Amino acid sequence: ASSGDETATFSMPIYACQRRTTLDHRNAVFTEALSLLAENAELSQDEGRAVAFRRAAATLKAFPEPLTDARQLRGCPCLGQHSLSVIQDILENGSSREVEATRRSERFKAMKLLTAIFGVGAKTAAQWFQEGIRNLPQLHQSGRVLTRAQQAGVAHYDDLTQSVTRAEADTIGQIVEEAVGAKLPSARVTLVGGFRRGKLSGHDVDFLITHPEEGREEGLIPKVVAHLEARDFLLYHKNNRNSYTEASGTPASTMDHFERCFSIFKLPMPEGGEPHSRQDDVALRRGECRRWRAVRVDLVVCPFSQFAFALLGWTGSKLFERELRRWATQQKNMSLSSHALYDNKQRKYLKAATEEEIFAHLSLEYIPPSERNA
Ligand code: TTP
Ligand code: MN
Ligand code: MN
Ligand code: MN
C-alpha cells in the first residue's frame, strides 16, 4: 500500500537466525555505536541491556542500505526506545553523546583494559576497579594474587591484545593438524569461530576436533597437549574433561560440556618478519632471538554424533547462536545446545549429521557461516 512518502517500508524477520548477515554492511557508524553500548552493558554485567543493544546492532547490520532517515527503519525489529534515540542522535549530530561519553569514561576504559587480560572477566575487573586499579602497573603494585591464567594473560598482554590474522590462524591449523594426526590418525580438525565465518582477523583461533568412529576421540586433549608441549608450542593450557550426559543436559544452556583446552600458543614467526610486539623489540635489543608471538587458541573435542551441533554452536556469532536457541525455544518448543536438539513435544532428541539438517529440523532456511555475522 502506498503510504504517501518515498521511504519504502521493507520487512525484516525478527530473529537474527532468519536473516543473512554478512561481514560488510552499510551502517558501520550505527552498529559500532550500538556495539559499544552493548559492550559497556556487558562490562556492567547487565545482560538484558547488552542483548538489547546487540540485537539492535544486528538489525542495522542486516539493513540493506545506508541509513539517512529514521523513517527508513519502520518495520524493523528489535529497535527499542534507547537504541532509536542513539540512532537519531547520530543522524542529527554525526555522533551520539551517550556513546562518546561512555567511550571516554574512566570506568569503561579501565574495564576494557582489565578484561583484555586473559582470565579476567567483568566481575573480577569490577572488583579491581572498585579498589582503584586502572591499569597493569597499578595491578602489579596492588600485590593482588593472580590465577595461573591471569599470570599468563599479564605476561603476554601485548601479544594477546593484538588481533590474530588469517595467515596466523592457518599456520596454527597446520600445527594442530600435525599434533592431532600424530596421536589419532584420521581424526578431523575443523577451523570454527570467527575465521569460519570469513573474518580476516580474530581475538583467538578455535578448532573443533572429532573422529568418525565414536569413542576414539575420548581423552584426545591431554595427548595432543603433550605432543604440542614437547615441541614447545604451548605457553599456557587448561584442559577440561567431557562432562556431558543426556541426563545431565539442561539442553538449552550456553555453556557446553565438551572435552576442551583453552590455551596460549607460542607461534614461531617467519624468519626476517617484522618484530610483532614491544616484548619482541626489547628481546631483540638484548640480542635474544625471540621470534614468536603468543596467540589464544581454543581446542574442542566432540563425539562424532554431536559434530553438526558442535560445529553450529562453535561457529557463532554469539548473537546468532543466542537467536537460534531463542527461536528453537519460543517458536518450535525445542531445546538447542552445542550437543543436541531436543523436541519437547515429541519428547525425543532429533539427530543431525549436518548443519543443514539442524536448520531443517528448526524450519529455518539454511544460512551459511559467512552469513551468520549477526
Ligand atoms: P569466540 O572465539 O569467543 O568468538 P568468535 O570466534 O566468534 O570471535 P573472535 O574473532 O573474537 O574470536 O567464540 C566462538 C564460538 O564458540 C562462539 O559462537 C561461542 C562458542 N562457544 C561455545 O559454544 N562455548 C563456549 O564455552 C565458548 C567459550 C564459546
Ligand atoms: Mn577477558
Ligand atoms: Mn574465536
Ligand atoms: Mn574462542
Side-chain angles (χ1 to χ4, degrees):
S2 147
S3 55
D5 67 56
E6 272 125 87
T7 45
T9 307
F10 105 113
S11 84
M12 187 186 293
I14 293 173
Y15 296 81
C17 57
Q18 298 173 285
R19 309 189 295 248
R20 297 174 182 276
T21 312
T22 52
L23 280 170
D24 59 318
H25 57 80
R26 318 294 299 274
N27 288 293
V29 187
F30 301 95
T31 61
E32 278 162 19
L34 293 165
S35 299
L36 185 137
L37 295 181
E39 191 181 7
N40 186 53
E42 277 154 11
L43 292 173
S44 308
Q45 294 172 87
D46 189 340
E47 187 71 5
R49 245 160 106 87
V51 173
F53 285 128
R54 292 271 174 225
R55 286 205 190 114
T59 293
L60 286 172
K61 287 179 192 171
F63 197 74
E65 57 201 54
L67 193 64
T68 54
D69 188 314
R71 283 175 297 179
Q72 288 168 281
L73 294 172
R74 272 180 304 190
C76 282
C78 305
L79 295 172
Q81 278 302 312
H82 198 152
S83 294
L84 280 173
S85 79
V86 170
I87 291 167
Q88 193 63 49
D89 212 4
I90 297 172
L91 282 170
E92 282 168 17
N93 310 308
S95 66
S96 149
R97 230 192 280 178
E98 183 186 2
V99 171
E100 297 318 313
T102 304
R103 199 196 302 280
R104 285 191 308 263
S105 82
E106 191 183 9
R107 184 183 160 87
F108 180 75
K109 284 191 288 190
M111 289 291 290
K112 263 197 81 123
L113 191 149
L114 295 173
T115 55
I117 302 169
F118 173 62
V120 178
K123 209 175 148 196
T124 303
Q127 210 174 314
W128 290 351
F129 183 80
Q130 192 90 41
E131 294 165 21
I133 298 168
R134 303 283 181 272
N135 51 43
L136 295 185
Q138 288 174 356
L139 175 61
H140 186 71
Q141 282 156 24
S142 76
R144 294 285 311 216
V145 177
L146 303 181
T147 65
R148 206 168 59 83
Q150 292 163 355
Q151 288 173 35
V154 168
H156 305 294
Y157 190 84
D158 286 357
D159 278 0
L160 297 185
T161 49
Q162 213 162 80
S163 59
V164 186
T165 65
R166 175 69 207 219
E168 288 168 333
D170 290 336
T171 304
I172 292 167
Q174 287 163 15
I175 294 168
V176 171
E177 268 178 26
E178 195 276 328
V180 169
K183 293 299 164 182
L184 184 62
S186 64
R188 297 179 193 171
V189 178
T190 308
L191 180 65
V192 289
F195 287 111
R196 181 162 184 254
R197 301 196 307 275
K199 281 177 67 177
L200 296 175
S201 67
H203 99 282
D204 71 355
V205 195
D206 308 284
F207 295 98
L208 180 61
I209 305 164
T210 192
H211 190 285
E213 285 168 60
E214 185 128 347
R216 295 284 300 279
E217 82 290 346
E218 277 173 39
L220 182 59
I221 283 288
K223 294 178 202 164
V224 168
V225 162
H227 187 91
L228 292 168
E229 265 190 323
R231 281 152 191 77
D232 198 23
F233 281 129
L234 288 184
L235 295 162
Y236 168 89
H237 68 94
K238 182 170 191 316
N239 299 351
N240 280 60
R241 280 198 292 269
N242 187 344
S243 62
Y244 178 74
T245 59
E246 282 195 355
S248 83
T250 44
S253 79
T254 327
M255 265 314 271
D256 60 57
H257 306 268
F258 292 119
E259 183 178 329
R260 73 173 65 183
C261 175
F262 293 125
S263 73
I264 300 174
F265 264 53
K266 180 176 175 180
L267 179 66
M269 306 272 288
E271 275 307 314
E274 289 293 307
H276 222 104
S277 67
R278 236 184 301 150
Q279 285 155 329
D280 251 348
D281 291 338
V282 172
L284 290 171
R285 260 183 269 122
R286 278 203 219 104
E288 296 164 26
C289 194
R290 195 184 165 284
R291 296 209 156 271
W292 55 269
R293 71 164 291 203
V295 179
R296 274 274 298 112
V297 176
D298 289 336
L299 304 176
V300 186
V301 171
C302 78
F304 198 62
S305 62
Q306 296 172 23
F307 179 72
F309 298 99
L311 182 62
L312 181 59
W314 275 84
T315 296
S317 70
K318 285 191 189 91
L319 184 74
F320 192 90
E321 302 297 332
R322 181 185 272 275
E323 292 284 277
L324 272 175
R325 292 192 299 271
R326 188 166 73 101
W327 167 271
T329 306
Q330 295 179 346
Q331 301 296 321
K332 302 299 292 179
N333 193 13
M334 294 179 185
S335 306
L336 175 68
S337 74
S338 294
H339 296 277
L341 177 62
Y342 186 77
D343 185 329
N344 294 303
K345 221 166 77 202
Q346 298 186 69
R347 296 185 175 207
K348 68 170 194 188
Y349 285 93
L350 304 179
K351 304 231 170 302
T354 62
E355 290 180 315
E356 282 87 344
E357 288 172 48
I358 303 173
F359 282 88
H361 282 318
L362 293 168
S363 317
L364 287 169
E365 193 184 337
Y366 176 69
I367 310 284
S370 63
E371 294 175 334
R372 296 180 202 159
N373 286 293

